[in-house]
Amino acid sequence: MQNSSHLWPAACLLSGRPNVGALMSLCEENHGRLLRLAPRLRDATGRLTSRRSGGVDLLLEVEEQAPYTTQLRLTHVFHLPGSTDPRPDPNARLRVYHDARQVEILDLRQSVLPLRGGYQHPALADKWQANLFLAKWLTFCLRQGHCFQHGGVAVPPLGFVESTPFCT
């Protein structure tokens, strides 16, 4: 697991031209953030909702559990005045590789940043931008106090670092 004081290589962020190693590090960091948000993800099933007073609901829906992977949808659910349909934004479909400690973005729909869909050429730059967005969004969710409880007890994930907050 990456040292939390060394997030992404500054040269990659400043140049806008990430490399594969930096992308893999970012995917690993996103895995850690996601596990702080959902410590029992490997055992989770169905839909889980995190509600914060005065905030927007965060929904995690497990689509598929396999021995080494979890496929899920993570979204904020906005209930707009005058509308009966909730609006998901951002709306991410993710595959979590538990053994490799990586998160892969399968689909990301959001209205905040202009991202290209489908990871067209150059794919590395598109994946970097999408994963950077995911990192910032997961950090935002954690700072808002969101947490998906499973079984009523929050247990720190493997690789937990004392100074890193996790849900309680």
Side-chain angles (χ1 to χ4, degrees):
M1 186 174 236
Q2 293 288 321
N3 181 346
S4 61
S5 66
H6 179 269
L7 294 177
W8 307 293
C12 289
L13 287 174
L14 296 174
S15 73
R17 293 186 316 233
N19 59 48
V20 173
L23 178 61
M24 297 301 288
S25 293
L26 181 54
C27 292
E28 182 179 0
E29 290 169 15
N30 284 341
H31 180 267
R33 287 181 186 91
L34 186 59
L35 287 187
R36 286 193 301 277
L37 198 59
R40 300 268 186 156
L41 180 61
R42 211 172 194 160
D43 301 322
T45 58
R47 287 182 153 192
L48 303 171
T49 302
S50 174
R51 290 191 169 95
R52 303 304 303 158
S53 178
V56 179
D57 289 353
L58 186 63
L59 175 70
L60 185 148
E61 182 176 2
V62 176
E63 297 177 341
E64 179 183 315
Q65 282 282 18
Y68 302 104
T69 62
T70 300
Q71 187 169 303
L72 62 93
R73 182 168 301 280
L74 184 67
T75 185
H76 268 113
V77 180
F78 289 89
H79 299 279
L80 302 175
S83 175
T84 58
D85 294 328
R87 180 174 176 229
D89 190 18
N91 189 2
R93 221 165 128 235
L94 309 171
R95 180 171 293 127
V96 180
Y97 296 90
H98 299 290
D99 56 341
R101 296 183 182 166
Q102 298 281 313
V103 174
E104 175 186 12
I105 299 174
L106 302 174
D107 186 41
L108 176 62
R109 298 174 192 273
Q110 50 78 39
S111 60
V112 177
L113 294 174
L115 299 175
R116 290 187 290 194
Y119 296 139
Q120 300 164 0
H121 184 74
L124 181 61
D126 292 341
K127 288 182 180 186
W128 175 263
Q129 190 175 22
N131 277 281
L132 194 55
F133 176 86
L134 180 63
K136 290 180 180 189
W137 180 34
L138 291 172
T139 300
F140 171 79
C141 292
L142 288 165
R143 286 184 179 156
Q144 293 295 306
H146 282 287
C147 179
F148 296 102
Q149 297 289 344
H150 184 75
V153 179
V155 176
L158 193 63
F160 173 72
V161 177
E162 275 305 314
S163 63
T164 307
F166 73 97
C167 47
T168 57

